[in-house]
Amino acid sequence: MNVLKVSRWTIAAFILPCLIVYVGLVFVPILVSLYSGLLDWNGIGQSTFVGLDNYVKMFTNDPVFWPSLRRTFTLAGFSMLVQVPIALLVAILITRFVRRPNFLVSSYFLPVILSVAIIGQLWKTVYNPASMGGMINQILTSVGLESWTHSWLTEPKIAIYAIILVSLWQYLGYHILIQFTGIQNIPGEIYEAAKIDGADGFKADRYITLPMVLPILKISIVLSFIGSLQSFDLIMVMTGGGPAHATEVLASHMYNMSFLTMQYGYGSSIANVLITVCLIATILINLLFTRLEKRYT
């Protein structure tokens, strides 16, 4: 059998263009952001080097930063601890009880491909007061639970959880597809052998499905966490960060500082914190799943 021998220079010639584009679109902006975070700059005029003053201001004198960071982690927590486990359960149930599951999985995936503007406007209508046709409030009123009705997107203590619910609904199908694909790749012979040994149903899922989809589950967890930290578009469509910054997260706070108040240097420092949190979280999640995989292998 002939083996095609390619020189290292030929490989480099094919890789180099993609590598240049990748570095230019990923690493160069990060380096620029790191430098911009050390400046007092409006993004247009003359800049002034202020060192770590932006970070000192962020951690000690920004009334929006810490609440927005807390809401960001709240969204990430719901995504990892609620959305991903539900997606795994649904994927298991579809695999077990649905003969032709592709259509059902595609149906769950439909909200992922819809425009965020459409989803935001749709759910704003759902959350409207009953007098304006809001479905949730109308249902609660019709069953005698009028005291449970709220102005879901204008009450500061409730608005962020209303948006979290929409985010979980929107991306549930994305994680169902990932988990379903992972389960489908598990050889059926393993389940047949386990059934002979008395491991069937959810017992087989506990000792076979869950350990074997851990690498796929790790991907879902990482993507859900990073996606939650980058949440911006849905919040801007539904509330714009209001009322009174009650739905502000790090990404929207960064946008407001950079482009609405023209504090580009300060916005860059918020972006740097966001990148750092993403990096640290990804490393910790990988370490956790590495230990879990060693435990089950």
Side-chain angles (χ1 to χ4, degrees), residues 233-275:
D233 44 9
L234 187 62
I235 290 174
M236 297 305 293
V237 170
M238 296 187 68
T239 63
H245 302 288
T247 57
E248 202 86 83
V249 292
L250 273 186
S252 61
H253 185 40
M254 174 190 67
Y255 170 82
N256 290 334
M257 292 293 101
S258 299
F259 302 107
L260 297 186
T261 65
M262 300 301 292
Q263 300 180 56
Y264 190 82
Y266 186 66
S268 296
S269 64
I270 298 176
N272 296 334
V273 171
L274 195 59
I275 293 172

CSV table of all heavy atoms in Angstrom, one decimal, residues 233-275:
chain,number,residue,atom,x,y,z
A,233,ASP,N,-27.8,39.0,23.6
A,233,ASP,CA,-28.8,39.4,22.6
A,233,ASP,C,-30.2,39.3,23.2
A,233,ASP,O,-31.1,40.2,23.0
A,233,ASP,CB,-28.6,38.6,21.4
A,233,ASP,CG,-28.4,37.1,21.6
A,233,ASP,OD1,-28.5,36.7,22.8
A,233,ASP,OD2,-28.0,36.4,20.7
A,234,LEU,N,-30.5,38.2,23.9
A,234,LEU,CA,-31.8,38.0,24.4
A,234,LEU,C,-32.2,39.0,25.4
A,234,LEU,O,-33.3,39.5,25.5
A,234,LEU,CB,-32.0,36.6,25.0
A,234,LEU,CG,-33.3,36.1,25.4
A,234,LEU,CD1,-34.3,36.0,24.2
A,234,LEU,CD2,-33.3,34.8,26.1
A,235,ILE,N,-31.3,39.4,26.3
A,235,ILE,CA,-31.5,40.4,27.3
A,235,ILE,C,-31.7,41.7,26.7
A,235,ILE,O,-32.7,42.5,27.1
A,235,ILE,CB,-30.3,40.4,28.3
A,235,ILE,CG1,-30.3,39.2,29.2
A,235,ILE,CG2,-30.4,41.7,29.2
A,235,ILE,CD1,-29.1,39.0,30.1
A,236,MET,N,-31.0,42.1,25.7
A,236,MET,CA,-31.1,43.4,25.0
A,236,MET,C,-32.5,43.5,24.3
A,236,MET,O,-33.1,44.5,24.3
A,236,MET,CB,-30.0,43.6,24.1
A,236,MET,CG,-28.6,43.7,24.7
A,236,MET,SD,-28.5,44.9,26.0
A,236,MET,CE,-28.7,46.5,25.1
A,237,VAL,N,-32.9,42.4,23.7
A,237,VAL,CA,-34.2,42.4,23.0
A,237,VAL,C,-35.4,42.5,24.0
A,237,VAL,O,-36.3,43.2,23.8
A,237,VAL,CB,-34.3,41.1,22.1
A,237,VAL,CG1,-35.8,41.0,21.6
A,237,VAL,CG2,-33.4,41.1,21.0
A,238,MET,N,-35.3,41.7,25.1
A,238,MET,CA,-36.4,41.6,26.0
A,238,MET,C,-36.5,42.8,27.0
A,238,MET,O,-37.6,43.3,27.3
A,238,MET,CB,-36.4,40.3,26.7
A,238,MET,CG,-36.6,39.1,25.8
A,238,MET,SD,-36.8,37.5,26.7
A,238,MET,CE,-38.4,37.8,27.4
A,239,THR,N,-35.4,43.2,27.6
A,239,THR,CA,-35.4,44.2,28.7
A,239,THR,C,-34.4,45.3,28.5
A,239,THR,O,-34.5,46.4,29.1
A,239,THR,CB,-35.2,43.6,30.0
A,239,THR,OG1,-33.9,43.0,30.1
A,239,THR,CG2,-36.2,42.5,30.3
A,240,GLY,N,-33.4,45.1,27.7
A,240,GLY,CA,-32.3,46.1,27.5
A,240,GLY,C,-31.5,46.2,28.8
A,240,GLY,O,-30.8,47.2,29.0
A,241,GLY,N,-31.6,45.2,29.7
A,241,GLY,CA,-30.8,45.3,30.9
A,241,GLY,C,-31.6,45.8,32.1
A,241,GLY,O,-31.2,45.8,33.2
A,242,GLY,N,-32.8,46.4,31.8
A,242,GLY,CA,-33.7,46.9,32.9
A,242,GLY,C,-34.6,45.9,33.5
A,242,GLY,O,-34.5,44.7,33.1
A,243,PRO,N,-35.5,46.3,34.4
A,243,PRO,CA,-35.6,47.6,34.9
A,243,PRO,C,-34.6,48.0,35.9
A,243,PRO,O,-34.3,47.2,36.8
A,243,PRO,CB,-37.0,47.6,35.5
A,243,PRO,CG,-37.2,46.2,35.9
A,243,PRO,CD,-36.5,45.3,34.9
A,244,ALA,N,-34.0,49.2,35.8
A,244,ALA,CA,-33.0,49.7,36.8
A,244,ALA,C,-31.9,48.7,36.9
A,244,ALA,O,-31.4,48.4,38.0
A,244,ALA,CB,-33.7,49.9,38.1
A,245,HIS,N,-31.4,48.2,35.8
A,245,HIS,CA,-30.2,47.3,35.7
A,245,HIS,C,-30.5,45.9,36.4
A,245,HIS,O,-29.6,45.2,36.7
A,245,HIS,CB,-29.0,47.9,36.4
A,245,HIS,CG,-28.5,49.2,35.8
A,245,HIS,ND1,-27.9,49.3,34.6
A,245,HIS,CD2,-28.6,50.4,36.3
A,245,HIS,CE1,-27.7,50.5,34.3
A,245,HIS,NE2,-28.1,51.3,35.3
A,246,ALA,N,-31.8,45.6,36.6
A,246,ALA,CA,-32.2,44.3,37.3
A,246,ALA,C,-31.9,43.1,36.4
A,246,ALA,O,-31.8,42.0,37.0
A,246,ALA,CB,-33.7,44.4,37.7
A,247,THR,N,-31.7,43.2,35.1
A,247,THR,CA,-31.4,42.1,34.3
A,247,THR,C,-30.1,42.2,33.6
A,247,THR,O,-29.7,41.5,32.6
A,247,THR,CB,-32.5,41.9,33.2
A,247,THR,OG1,-32.6,43.1,32.4
A,247,THR,CG2,-33.8,41.5,33.8
A,248,GLU,N,-29.3,43.1,34.1
A,248,GLU,CA,-27.9,43.4,33.6
A,248,GLU,C,-27.0,42.2,33.9
A,248,GLU,O,-27.0,41.7,35.0
A,248,GLU,CB,-27.3,44.6,34.2
A,248,GLU,CG,-26.2,45.3,33.3
A,248,GLU,CD,-26.8,46.2,32.3
A,248,GLU,OE1,-27.1,47.4,32.6
A,248,GLU,OE2,-27.0,45.7,31.1
A,249,VAL,N,-26.3,41.7,32.9
A,249,VAL,CA,-25.3,40.7,33.1
A,249,VAL,C,-24.0,41.3,32.6
A,249,VAL,O,-23.9,42.4,32.0
A,249,VAL,CB,-25.6,39.4,32.3
A,249,VAL,CG1,-26.8,38.7,32.9
A,249,VAL,CG2,-25.8,39.6,30.8
A,250,LEU,N,-22.9,40.5,32.7
A,250,LEU,CA,-21.6,41.1,32.4
A,250,LEU,C,-21.5,41.5,30.9
A,250,LEU,O,-20.9,42.6,30.6
A,250,LEU,CB,-20.5,40.1,32.7
A,250,LEU,CG,-19.9,40.0,34.1
A,250,LEU,CD1,-18.7,39.1,34.2
A,250,LEU,CD2,-19.5,41.4,34.6
A,251,ALA,N,-22.0,40.7,30.0
A,251,ALA,CA,-21.9,41.1,28.6
A,251,ALA,C,-22.7,42.3,28.3
A,251,ALA,O,-22.2,43.2,27.6
A,251,ALA,CB,-22.4,39.9,27.8
A,252,SER,N,-23.9,42.5,28.8
A,252,SER,CA,-24.6,43.7,28.6
A,252,SER,C,-24.0,44.9,29.3
A,252,SER,O,-24.0,46.0,28.7
A,252,SER,CB,-26.1,43.5,29.0
A,252,SER,OG,-26.2,43.3,30.4
A,253,HIS,N,-23.5,44.7,30.4
A,253,HIS,CA,-22.8,45.8,31.2
A,253,HIS,C,-21.6,46.3,30.4
A,253,HIS,O,-21.3,47.5,30.3
A,253,HIS,CB,-22.4,45.3,32.6
A,253,HIS,CG,-21.8,46.4,33.4
A,253,HIS,ND1,-22.3,47.7,33.5
A,253,HIS,CD2,-20.7,46.4,34.3
A,253,HIS,CE1,-21.6,48.4,34.3
A,253,HIS,NE2,-20.6,47.6,34.8
A,254,MET,N,-20.8,45.3,29.8
A,254,MET,CA,-19.7,45.7,29.0
A,254,MET,C,-20.1,46.5,27.8
A,254,MET,O,-19.5,47.5,27.4
A,254,MET,CB,-19.0,44.4,28.5
A,254,MET,CG,-17.9,44.6,27.5
A,254,MET,SD,-17.3,43.0,26.8
A,254,MET,CE,-18.8,42.6,25.8
A,255,TYR,N,-21.2,46.1,27.1
A,255,TYR,CA,-21.7,46.8,26.0
A,255,TYR,C,-22.1,48.2,26.4
A,255,TYR,O,-21.8,49.2,25.7
A,255,TYR,CB,-22.9,46.1,25.4
A,255,TYR,CG,-23.7,46.8,24.3
A,255,TYR,CD1,-23.2,46.9,23.0
A,255,TYR,CD2,-24.8,47.5,24.7
A,255,TYR,CE1,-23.9,47.6,22.1
A,255,TYR,CE2,-25.5,48.3,23.7
A,255,TYR,CZ,-25.1,48.3,22.4
A,255,TYR,OH,-25.8,49.0,21.5
A,256,ASN,N,-22.9,48.4,27.5
A,256,ASN,CA,-23.3,49.7,27.9
A,256,ASN,C,-22.2,50.6,28.2
A,256,ASN,O,-22.2,51.8,27.8
A,256,ASN,CB,-24.2,49.5,29.1
A,256,ASN,CG,-25.6,48.9,28.8
A,256,ASN,OD1,-26.0,48.9,27.6
A,256,ASN,ND2,-26.2,48.2,29.8
A,257,MET,N,-21.1,50.1,28.9
A,257,MET,CA,-20.0,50.9,29.2
A,257,MET,C,-19.2,51.3,28.0
A,257,MET,O,-18.7,52.4,27.9
A,257,MET,CB,-19.1,50.2,30.2
A,257,MET,CG,-19.7,50.0,31.6
A,257,MET,SD,-19.9,51.5,32.5
A,257,MET,CE,-21.6,51.8,32.3
A,258,SER,N,-19.1,50.4,27.0
A,258,SER,CA,-18.2,50.6,25.9
A,258,SER,C,-18.9,51.5,24.9
A,258,SER,O,-18.2,52.4,24.3
A,258,SER,CB,-17.9,49.3,25.2
A,258,SER,OG,-17.1,48.5,26.1
A,259,PHE,N,-20.2,51.3,24.6
A,259,PHE,CA,-20.8,52.0,23.5
A,259,PHE,C,-21.9,53.0,23.8
A,259,PHE,O,-22.2,53.8,23.0
A,259,PHE,CB,-21.4,50.9,22.5
A,259,PHE,CG,-20.3,50.0,22.0
A,259,PHE,CD1,-20.3,48.7,22.5
A,259,PHE,CD2,-19.4,50.4,21.1
A,259,PHE,CE1,-19.3,47.8,22.0
A,259,PHE,CE2,-18.4,49.5,20.6
A,259,PHE,CZ,-18.4,48.2,21.1
A,260,LEU,N,-22.5,52.9,25.0
A,260,LEU,CA,-23.5,53.9,25.4
A,260,LEU,C,-22.9,55.0,26.2
A,260,LEU,O,-23.3,56.2,26.0
A,260,LEU,CB,-24.6,53.2,26.2
A,260,LEU,CG,-25.4,52.1,25.4
A,260,LEU,CD1,-26.6,51.6,26.2
A,260,LEU,CD2,-25.9,52.6,24.1
A,261,THR,N,-22.0,54.7,27.1
A,261,THR,CA,-21.4,55.8,27.9
A,261,THR,C,-20.0,56.1,27.4
A,261,THR,O,-19.3,57.0,27.9
A,261,THR,CB,-21.2,55.3,29.4
A,261,THR,OG1,-20.3,54.2,29.5
A,261,THR,CG2,-22.6,54.9,30.0
A,262,MET,N,-19.6,55.4,26.3
A,262,MET,CA,-18.3,55.7,25.6
A,262,MET,C,-17.1,55.6,26.5
A,262,MET,O,-16.1,56.3,26.4
A,262,MET,CB,-18.3,57.1,25.0
A,262,MET,CG,-19.4,57.3,23.9
A,262,MET,SD,-19.3,56.1,22.6
A,262,MET,CE,-17.8,56.7,21.8
A,263,GLN,N,-17.1,54.6,27.5
A,263,GLN,CA,-16.0,54.3,28.3
A,263,GLN,C,-15.3,53.0,27.7
A,263,GLN,O,-15.5,52.0,28.3
A,263,GLN,CB,-16.4,54.2,29.8
A,263,GLN,CG,-17.0,55.4,30.4
A,263,GLN,CD,-17.4,55.2,31.8
A,263,GLN,OE1,-16.6,54.8,32.6
A,263,GLN,NE2,-18.7,55.4,32.1
A,264,TYR,N,-14.7,53.1,26.6
A,264,TYR,CA,-14.2,52.0,25.9
A,264,TYR,C,-13.1,51.2,26.7
A,264,TYR,O,-13.1,50.0,26.7
A,264,TYR,CB,-13.7,52.4,24.5
A,264,TYR,CG,-13.4,51.2,23.6
A,264,TYR,CD1,-14.4,50.6,22.9
A,264,TYR,CD2,-12.1,50.7,23.5
A,264,TYR,CE1,-14.1,49.5,22.1
A,264,TYR,CE2,-11.8,49.6,22.7
A,264,TYR,CZ,-12.8,49.0,22.0
A,264,TYR,OH,-12.5,48.0,21.2
A,265,GLY,N,-12.3,51.9,27.3
A,265,GLY,CA,-11.2,51.3,28.1
A,265,GLY,C,-11.8,50.5,29.3
A,265,GLY,O,-11.4,49.4,29.6
A,266,TYR,N,-12.8,51.1,29.9
A,266,TYR,CA,-13.4,50.4,31.1
A,266,TYR,C,-14.2,49.2,30.6
A,266,TYR,O,-14.2,48.1,31.2
A,266,TYR,CB,-14.4,51.4,31.8
A,266,TYR,CG,-15.0,50.8,33.1
A,266,TYR,CD1,-14.2,50.5,34.2
A,266,TYR,CD2,-16.3,50.6,33.2
A,266,TYR,CE1,-14.7,50.0,35.3
A,266,TYR,CE2,-16.9,50.0,34.3
A,266,TYR,CZ,-16.1,49.7,35.4
A,266,TYR,OH,-16.6,49.2,36.5
A,267,GLY,N,-14.9,49.3,29.4
A,267,GLY,CA,-15.6,48.2,28.9
A,267,GLY,C,-14.6,47.1,28.5
A,267,GLY,O,-15.0,45.9,28.7
A,268,SER,N,-13.4,47.4,28.0
A,268,SER,CA,-12.4,46.4,27.7
A,268,SER,C,-12.0,45.6,29.0
A,268,SER,O,-11.8,44.4,28.9
A,268,SER,CB,-11.2,47.0,27.0
A,268,SER,OG,-11.6,47.6,25.8
A,269,SER,N,-11.9,46.4,30.1
A,269,SER,CA,-11.5,45.7,31.3
A,269,SER,C,-12.6,44.7,31.8
A,269,SER,O,-12.3,43.6,32.3
A,269,SER,CB,-11.2,46.7,32.4
A,269,SER,OG,-12.4,47.4,32.8
A,270,ILE,N,-13.9,45.0,31.6
A,270,ILE,CA,-14.9,44.1,31.9
A,270,ILE,C,-14.8,42.9,30.9
A,270,ILE,O,-15.0,41.7,31.4
A,270,ILE,CB,-16.3,44.8,31.7
A,270,ILE,CG1,-16.4,45.9,32.7
A,270,ILE,CG2,-17.4,43.8,31.9
A,270,ILE,CD1,-17.7,46.7,32.5
A,271,ALA,N,-14.5,43.1,29.7
A,271,ALA,CA,-14.4,42.0,28.7
A,271,ALA,C,-13.2,41.1,29.1
A,271,ALA,O,-13.3,39.9,29.0
A,271,ALA,CB,-14.1,42.6,27.3
A,272,ASN,N,-12.2,41.7,29.7
A,272,ASN,CA,-11.0,40.9,30.1
A,272,ASN,C,-11.4,40.0,31.3
A,272,ASN,O,-11.0,38.8,31.4
A,272,ASN,CB,-9.8,41.8,30.5
A,272,ASN,CG,-9.3,42.6,29.3
A,272,ASN,OD1,-9.5,42.1,28.1
A,272,ASN,ND2,-8.7,43.7,29.5
A,273,VAL,N,-12.2,40.5,32.2
A,273,VAL,CA,-12.7,39.7,33.3
A,273,VAL,C,-13.5,38.6,32.8
A,273,VAL,O,-13.5,37.4,33.3
A,273,VAL,CB,-13.5,40.6,34.3
A,273,VAL,CG1,-14.2,39.7,35.4
A,273,VAL,CG2,-12.5,41.6,35.0
A,274,LEU,N,-14.4,38.9,31.8
A,274,LEU,CA,-15.2,37.8,31.2
A,274,LEU,C,-14.4,36.7,30.6
A,274,LEU,O,-14.7,35.5,30.8
A,274,LEU,CB,-16.2,38.5,30.2
A,274,LEU,CG,-17.4,37.7,29.7
A,274,LEU,CD1,-18.3,37.3,30.9
A,274,LEU,CD2,-18.1,38.5,28.7
A,275,ILE,N,-13.4,37.1,29.9
A,275,ILE,CA,-12.5,36.1,29.2
A,275,ILE,C,-11.8,35.3,30.3
A,275,ILE,O,-11.7,34.0,30.2
A,275,ILE,CB,-11.4,36.8,28.4
A,275,ILE,CG1,-12.1,37.4,27.2
A,275,ILE,CG2,-10.4,35.8,27.9
A,275,ILE,CD1,-11.2,38.3,26.3
